[in-house]
Each structure stands twice: as C-alpha cells, then as structure tokens.
Amino acid sequence: MRLEAITWERLGDQLADRLLDLKPADGSPWPRVALDGAPAARPEELAERIGEALRIRGRPSLVVGMQGFLRPASLRLEYGHHDLEAYYNGWFDTAALWREVFGPLEPGGDGRVLPDLWDPVTDRATRSPYVQLPLGGVLLLHGPLLLRHWFPFDLSVHLLLSAGALRRRTPESDHWTLPVYERYAEETDPAGTADVLVRADDPRHPAWSG
C-alpha cells in the first residue's frame, strides 16, 4: 500500500472532514470511529486532534479510551502481571463497552454514553457521569487491539508501528506485551483491514493511506 507524508494537524483535519459525511451502515445517527494502536503509537492524541477539528466544524464528538474500561486488577492480573493470554483476552472489559458505549449508540438508542468505568491507578470505579451525545455526534474510541472484537465501527484507523519502532517507543517495563501485538498483527491484520492506515514510526512525520 502506498502511503503519503502528512502532518498530524492535517491528518486530524482530513479525517474530521471525512467524518462529516460518514453515514453509519446500520442507520444509527452516531458514527463510531476506531483509533486503533498500541500505547506507543499514542492513538489518544490523534483522537483528541480529530475531536478538536470536529468541534471547529460544528460537529460534537466524544473521545473514549480503552484504558477507562480496564477490568479490576484482581481479574486482569489473576494469572500474574505478565500473562500474555490474559492481556490479549482479559484485560479490557469488552462487555462493559458493548453495554455502556456501543449499546446506547445503536439505532433507537438514547445516546447516553459512559465515558469510563474503571480507574487503573486507584483500581476503583470512576463514578463518572453519563454523557449525552447529540444526534450526529461522533464516537472516537482509541486504544489497543480494537479491531478484533467485532465492535460496530463505521470507520477504522490503525496506527502502525514497525516491530523496531514499537520496541523503541514502548517502555522497557512493558516489553513483555510486545508478543501480544505480534499476535494481533498475525490474527487480525489491522494494517490490512482498517479503512485508514497511518504509519507512525517517526512521531514527527506520519504517513497515511489517504
């Protein structure tokens, strides 16, 4: 796939412009967008850029992070702090995401979304209030391993890092997670299945598929 150089600012603007005309295939009034990438790729920063670009264009949005839907430490660390299978399949509360984020944005939903559920620092419920996403508002969900859960995304963006860049930009304390992203690439092929591919090896000079 041919990629062209772009700045992060222009990328946010280009994706926001694309979202203005995005119509969910299932008839929902709320487009749902994935910003998929390992923590080292910083998908949250692109989500925030798109959200700001949408705001300037008069379109409401809600940025939600997978980190706010981690399961309690007693569950995700049940088999140890460095268990690869648990990280791949058990760290994130996908049932809560379906219930609290995607369910309210289905056709006929009420648009009341819970932006986060669990604080990984305190290991307690956040008790955040629900947010009313207006009709036409865009959900921007960012985080790792997003494209393997069959979430009903209307547009998916994958931030790709080469194996070398992923290792360099991942803190050494988290290097144990690297085999999980290799498995994700092999089993899900996010670079090949995402609607938009962004290569983020150089954090100053991204390139995208357009």
Side-chain angles (χ1 to χ4, degrees), residues 156-183:
S156 57
V157 180
H158 176 64
L159 281 76
L160 175 66
L161 293 175
S162 67
L166 179 60
R167 175 169 287 275
R168 288 193 305 272
R169 293 175 58 185
T170 298
E172 188 171 350
S173 61
D174 292 330
H175 277 187
W176 68 271
T177 65
L178 297 180
V180 168
Y181 294 104
E182 182 178 350
R183 176 181 173 183

Side-chain angles (χ1 to χ4, degrees), residues 140-160:
L140 300 166
L141 179 65
H142 63 80
L145 314 175
L146 285 179
L147 304 184
R148 59 179 299 266
H149 299 295
W150 300 101
F151 292 139
F153 293 119
D154 303 297
L155 184 77
S156 57
V157 180
H158 176 64
L159 281 76
L160 175 66

Side-chain angles (χ1 to χ4, degrees), residues 76 143 186:
R76 68 178 190 272
E186 292 175 353

Side-chain angles (χ1 to χ4, degrees), residues 21-173:
D21 297 323
L22 182 63
K23 304 296 184 186
D26 64 0
S28 169
W30 300 283
R32 296 143 298 192
V33 179
L35 287 308
D36 175 61
R42 302 175 184 172
E44 70 280 1
E45 294 182 5
L46 181 55
E48 294 289 350
R49 285 184 181 275
I50 297 170
E52 176 60 19
L54 286 170
R55 185 192 65 80
I56 293 171
R57 289 158 174 76
R59 177 66 64 85
S61 66
L62 178 64
V63 175
V64 174
M66 287 285 281
Q67 286 298 110
F69 285 86
L70 280 170
R71 301 175 76 198
S74 61
L75 297 176
R76 68 178 190 272
L77 305 179
E78 181 179 2
Y79 301 103
H81 285 72
H82 296 163
D83 188 90
L84 296 176
E85 189 65 29
Y87 184 71
Y88 195 61
N89 286 310
W91 272 45
F92 297 101
D93 193 343
T94 55
L97 278 163
W98 279 104
R99 182 180 68 250
E100 304 290 359
V101 177
F102 289 103
L105 302 182
E106 292 177 348
D110 60 11
R112 293 181 70 249
V113 175
L114 189 66
D116 52 56
L117 181 65
W118 201 258
D119 186 330
V121 176
T122 64
D123 199 35
R124 296 179 181 274
T126 58
R127 303 189 184 281
S128 295
Y130 284 85
V131 175
Q132 183 68 51
L133 190 59
L135 295 177
V138 180
L139 170 70
L140 300 166
L141 179 65
H142 63 80
L145 314 175
L146 285 179
L147 304 184
R148 59 179 299 266
H149 299 295
W150 300 101
F151 292 139
F153 293 119
D154 303 297
L155 184 77
S156 57
V157 180
H158 176 64
L159 281 76
L160 175 66
L161 293 175
S162 67
L166 179 60
R167 175 169 287 275
R168 288 193 305 272
R169 293 175 58 185
T170 298
E172 188 171 350
S173 61

